[in-house]
Amino acid sequence: MTDTLDPKITAAPANAGSDQDVSRPPQPTPAVVQPPALKRRVPKVSDLAPLMQFKKPEFSKTARLRRASTIWELRDMAKRRTPQAPFDYTDGAAEEEITLRRARRAFQDIEFRPGILRDVSKIDLRTDILGKESRLPFGIAPTGFTRMMQSEGEYAGSQAAEAAGIPYTLSTMGTASIEDVATAAPNGRNWFQLYLWTDRDRSLELIERAAKAGNDTLMVTVDTAVAGARLRDVRNGMTIPPALTIKTVLDASYRPAWWFNFLTHEPLTFASLSRYTGTVADLINSMFDPTLTYEDLDWLRETWKGKLVVKGIQTVEDARRVVDHGADGIILSNHGGRQLDRAPIPFHLLPEVTTALKADNSDAEVILDTGIMSGADIVAALALGADFALIGRAYLYGLMAGGREGVDRTIQILEKDMTRTMALLGVSKVSDLNPDHVRLLQR
């Protein structure tokens, strides 16, 4: 039997079962009311006036330096204002410059581990280093031929360090004498860096001069048995003093201020010798002693009555050994990558060295240099166990960018970086930094 539909029954509407009454027509969508602030209008002069605050262009050195917010920006300024040979002497490293790139990358390959809900309204960057307080946890490293980078040279560095309350280190190859630096910064904390010469009498003379001038720390560098292959210097024909070749004359035409300063100030002289002409490598190879042993370190310890630190430590074993031979501190350093390319990276070495010295119950202080280009780099080093840091290139970039004011700006940038980084980490003083604040990432 087949069922049939009643013709009176019609199909249910498509919206059957809905709440909508099919007998009512669709209701119009309510119009969206636009907020008054989004309605277009002709701008009023009174509205534009506060926005039109045009400043008078500033071209002074002070204004130019103030615009630099990072050390990298100071480096850019330095490159524009300095002839290629002295800039490359500062900026370059040995051979393929692998070590320098790795050192800088080491600081990039970290992760900070911040703490929250800490009172960081006041950040205290003071620390004690080698028996005295430093207002900031870094100082200025020894750099050679510094007046060649900019005519104010070591005078700018030492005076800026004095004003900032941090140590300044004069190099054996500095272009200002020990006595002149002491006179320029009489209230500063001055250290002296020593290369031991084959002529021990000359070395002893330097040590005595440093002590008489009030230097409280002697820093002996031990990683220069021979000169590294600094290929930029070779390609530039770098000599001391710079030679006036066709290339340098052309280069000078773009940087007249540097040459004017260089030619109108006293010729370069050195902390350790009165005059020298030739390449940097020839100077190192002819004067510095490749036969140094730990017996020489013992001799220094007996001779020097102040604090003694050894610069150029690149293994845990050597760190332990120099402390056993009387060093008050060590500087983890590969000479800024300027000696042995593919050398150990100080930042990578830092945790092993601090762990080893603690295991020996040593109170020797650990200082780090190489690769530092920001205050965050310094904070990371302190967190991983360094007691202090030294800046070399970073300070020289500021010097080349603007003399004494440029060095001041370098210090200001690093201090501001450190203050901000520590506040964001939830740390209010240097002594509270610890390895929990940093994690080393793997590439």
Side-chain angles (χ1 to χ4, degrees), residues 89 145 148 173 227-243 270 273 275-288 338:
Y89 176 78
F145 317 114
M148 182 178 63
M173 306 315 301
R230 302 171 192 176
L231 300 184
R232 289 204 217 182
D233 295 347
V234 174
R235 297 182 188 113
N236 290 329
M238 175 70 175
T239 61
I240 305 296
F270 300 87
L273 65 158
R275 198 60 53 96
Y276 177 81
T277 301
T279 68
V280 177
D282 289 342
L283 176 58
I284 292 174
N285 289 333
S286 66
M287 296 183 62
F288 302 146
R338 298 163 67 79

Side-chain angles (χ1 to χ4, degrees), residues 322-389:
V322 298
V323 171
D324 289 341
H325 282 258
D328 298 298
I330 61 169
I331 301 176
L332 300 181
S333 170
N334 56 34
H335 217 101
R338 298 163 67 79
Q339 284 294 100
L340 175 66
D341 207 9
R342 299 179 179 86
I345 304 306
F347 187 67
H348 289 161
L349 187 62
L350 179 59
E352 297 177 64
V353 169
T354 55
T355 298
L357 293 181
K358 285 180 181 177
D360 294 343
N361 294 317
S362 171
D363 59 359
E365 294 181 276
V366 178
I367 302 172
L368 181 138
D369 76 7
T370 304
I372 293 171
M373 289 291 285
S374 74
D377 296 343
I378 298 173
V379 170
L382 297 171
L384 284 187
D387 296 297
F388 204 67

Side-chain angles (χ1 to χ4, degrees), residues 222-287:
V222 295
D223 60 358
T224 51
V226 296
R230 302 171 192 176
L231 300 184
R232 289 204 217 182
D233 295 347
V234 174
R235 297 182 188 113
N236 290 329
M238 175 70 175
T239 61
I240 305 296
L244 285 171
T245 64
I246 293 177
K247 181 180 178 180
T248 55
V249 169
L250 290 174
D251 195 31
S253 66
Y254 298 98
R255 301 162 178 93
W258 185 93
W259 280 104
F260 177 77
N261 285 333
F262 180 77
L263 296 173
T264 58
H265 286 87
E266 180 182 332
L268 298 184
T269 55
F270 300 87
S272 54
L273 65 158
S274 58
R275 198 60 53 96
Y276 177 81
T277 301
T279 68
V280 177
D282 289 342
L283 176 58
I284 292 174
N285 289 333
S286 66
M287 296 183 62

Side-chain angles (χ1 to χ4, degrees), residues 383-396:
L384 284 187
D387 296 297
F388 204 67
L390 293 175
I391 58 167
R393 286 185 180 88
Y395 131 70
L396 293 177

Side-chain angles (χ1 to χ4, degrees), residues 15 21 26 115 128 135 154 191 200 232 241 273 383 390 437-438:
N15 60 352
D21 185 349
D128 289 333
R135 194 182 68 84
E154 290 86 359
W191 297 353
R200 285 293 183 271
R232 289 204 217 182
L273 65 158
L390 293 175
H437 289 113
V438 176

Side-chain angles (χ1 to χ4, degrees), residues 211-232:
K212 186 176 180 180
N215 290 256
D216 63 70
T217 296
L218 183 69
M219 181 186 299
V220 58
T221 298
V222 295
D223 60 358
T224 51
V226 296
R230 302 171 192 176
L231 300 184
R232 289 204 217 182

Side-chain angles (χ1 to χ4, degrees), residues 289-310:
D289 191 351
T291 69
L292 291 180
T293 67
Y294 279 91
E295 291 181 359
D296 298 290
L297 184 58
D298 293 336
W299 173 79
L300 270 179
R301 179 67 285 177
E302 293 175 5
T303 304
W304 177 258
K305 305 308 178 185
K307 297 291 186 179
L308 177 66
V309 295
V310 179

